[in-house]
Amino acid sequence: MQVQRKPLKPLDQALQELLAHAQARPDVELVDTFDADGRVLLQDAVSPLQVPPQDNSAMDGYALRAADWEADLPLPVSQRIPAGTSPAPLAPASVARIFTGAPVPAGADAVVMQEDCEGVEDGRVRIKARPQAGQWIRRAGEDITLGATVIAAGTRLTPAHLGLAASMGFARLQVARKPRVALFSTGDELVMPGTVAPQDMKPGSIYNSNRFFLRALLLRMGCEVTDLGIVPDDRQATIDALARAAAGHDLIVTSGGVSVGEEDHIRPAVQQLGQLDLWQIDIKPGKPFAYGRVNRSEEGAGFAHFIGLPGNPVSSFVTFQVLVRPFLLRLQGVDNVLPRGMPARADFALPKADRRREFLRVRYNARGGLELFGNQSSGVLTSAAWGDGVVDNPAGTTIAEGDTVRFIPFAELMA
């Protein structure tokens, strides 16, 4: 009797179902603005002031009334205005020596850069170019207006956001608590680098690469990571590891063991401790994926989310980017969790369409187009290190050289 294959789940549907499990309101933490890079803001940053607070000079030079200028007529310097001082109103028919960032005195309507001025005897200054009203003046509130929502809740903060928050006087910010993630790998074939020399590796053994890039990706996502190492291919060992991981963590991430073979123990172990959905997703690489919940042993202690990634390194790498990353962002209160793609020119051909949605490892060439890594196998991690990003190629789609494709940079996926 022929076994009927279960249809593959489209990636967009899988992501929608996964994000539906991440709707809980994140815990709030108050942190120093210095330490908020990469954190998710949970309260709108509303400006209590305008920035700049008053008109100020964009240049070192001289402030004056534009109407007082006459060709070859020197004007006296009536005051000197460094940044951080409070100037007197500008005396009629005079100029004020002014420095970048200093307040423009009342009565002045232009600043002339010092390169367009020359000093003459008796402390007077000749303005060599006719000034225009408003030139080289930064207006009060032109950056930030009083009462404006400058940084919206749900924003993942960048260094520019921190400077912006500081310019409004925010010494501390309300952000989402860092997700606590437990990470481990499964497989008797896995060996940690440094424990066995390459020439002494047993047949069938491989170094555990997934643990290194997954930990790094989780840290880049602002997580607190507990590395629980390698769990052997044993049912009870897997159950014990999951039970330990559930305590004190929001999410458990594993790689390997999510298929249905006799040595794949993740599925029955998670089902024993909670619940599990095992999906075959319509993407290449990265078809097998699992989501579930592992109940904590204490009464009423809730559960930890569980995500099981495939064992092949590129499959694990890609599924993390397209599924785990959005899930972690949503856990922290981010609404728009989808990576931003951009159009780019394919300087390669893909004449054979795949039935699955493909994420092809590519990089920019000197001509500004994308070139394709020669081996797109799910076990070739070199392709991810070599590449600048991936082409998101729809199922059943061929690519001809010169076609416009959707490119997602790794810089977007790993920020």
Side-chain angles (χ1 to χ4, degrees):
M1 184 177 70
Q2 188 175 7
V3 178
Q4 184 124 15
R5 284 187 179 181
K6 190 175 181 180
L8 300 178
K9 187 184 290 288
L11 174 60
D12 292 341
Q13 180 184 342
L15 180 58
Q16 183 179 7
E17 293 178 16
L18 185 65
L19 293 179
H21 295 289
Q23 297 298 325
R25 181 174 175 82
D27 295 331
V28 178
E29 185 178 353
L30 192 64
V31 302
D32 192 297
T33 303
F34 271 124
D35 301 322
D37 183 35
R39 306 295 291 272
V40 176
L41 188 68
L42 291 185
Q43 184 179 53
D44 290 342
V46 178
S47 181
L49 75 172
Q50 59 182 10
V51 179
Q54 63 275 316
D55 293 354
N56 69 83
S57 178
M59 290 285 176
D60 290 350
Y62 294 87
L64 75 162
R65 294 183 185 88
D68 288 341
W69 180 88
E70 292 183 29
D72 297 323
L73 175 67
L75 295 171
V77 180
S78 57
Q79 60 179 309
R80 185 175 183 273
I81 313 172
T85 60
S86 181
L90 184 68
S94 75
V95 297
R97 178 69 167 121
I98 196 167
F99 298 89
T100 303
V104 175
D109 61 6
V111 171
V112 180
M113 67 174 68
Q114 60 190 18
E115 292 86 348
D116 291 333
C117 305
E118 62 179 6
V120 298
E121 62 275 358
D122 302 328
R124 293 177 297 161
V125 172
R126 178 180 290 111
I127 309 298
K128 296 184 291 183
R130 177 187 291 274
Q132 301 296 318
Q135 74 177 35
W136 301 122
I137 293 177
R138 296 184 291 214
R139 295 300 183 187
E142 73 174 27
D143 187 8
I144 300 170
T145 57
L146 175 66
T149 299
V150 180
I151 312 174
T155 299
R156 190 159 180 240
L157 298 169
T158 66
H161 289 125
L162 304 190
L164 197 55
S167 74
M168 295 183 286
F170 290 101
R172 295 190 293 175
L173 296 168
Q174 290 190 16
V175 298
R177 177 179 56 78
K178 290 184 175 183
R180 296 170 299 214
V181 182
L183 173 68
F184 66 84
S185 304
T186 64
D188 291 337
E189 76 280 10
L190 298 176
V191 176
M192 281 300 290
T195 60
V196 180
Q199 65 272 18
D200 297 329
M201 293 276 281
K202 295 178 181 178
S205 295
I206 58 173
Y207 287 122
N208 185 356
S209 60
N210 294 17
R211 186 167 156 194
F212 286 83
F213 67 71
L214 288 174
R215 180 179 181 275
L217 289 169
L218 288 166
L219 290 173
R220 288 195 177 197
M221 292 302 303
C223 301
E224 293 180 359
V225 182
T226 304
D227 188 343
L228 299 180
I230 300 171
V231 176
D233 285 327
D234 176 82
R235 177 76 56 85
Q236 190 58 50
T238 305
I239 292 171
D240 293 343
L242 287 167
R244 290 195 308 272
H249 294 97
D250 305 299
L251 172 65
I252 304 166
V253 176
T254 69
S255 65
V258 294
S259 296
V260 293
E262 292 180 8
E263 296 301 320
D264 295 323
H265 300 292
I266 288 290
R267 182 177 187 174
V270 175
Q271 288 173 332
Q272 180 171 327
L273 296 174
Q275 62 188 67
L276 182 73
D277 290 321
L278 185 63
W279 300 334
Q280 298 291 303
I281 300 178
D282 190 14
I283 60 173
K284 182 182 180 181
K287 183 170 66 172
F289 182 86
Y291 170 79
R293 296 181 176 187
V294 178
N295 296 323
R296 302 188 179 109
S297 57
E298 298 85 359
E299 186 70 26
F303 62 88
H305 298 281
F306 170 83
I307 289 179
L309 300 175
N312 281 326
V314 185
S315 297
S316 187
F317 184 82
V318 169
T319 50
F320 183 97
Q321 307 288 14
V322 299
L323 289 166
V324 183
R325 180 181 182 273
F327 183 80
L328 286 167
L329 289 173
R330 183 60 55 82
L331 275 184
Q332 296 175 78
V334 178
D335 287 328
N336 186 10
V337 298
L338 298 180
R340 291 171 296 182
M342 61 186 69
R345 186 186 73 244
D347 284 353
F348 64 89
L350 192 73
K352 185 178 179 181
D354 198 277
R355 66 188 182 91
R356 288 183 279 166
R357 180 174 173 179
E358 294 181 277
F359 290 90
L360 305 166
R361 278 77 71 205
V362 295
R363 73 176 179 189
Y364 277 113
N365 57 32
R367 303 183 303 278
L370 298 174
E371 57 186 77
L372 184 72
F373 191 77
N375 189 341
Q376 293 287 316
S377 167
S378 61
V380 181
L381 192 55
T382 310
S383 63
W386 171 91
D388 294 324
V390 294
V391 166
D392 181 2
N393 193 43
T397 302
T398 61
I399 299 174
E401 191 166 345
D403 282 353
T404 298
V405 294
R406 182 173 185 258
F407 173 65
I408 306 176
F410 283 146
E412 169 75 11
L413 293 169
M414 300 185 203

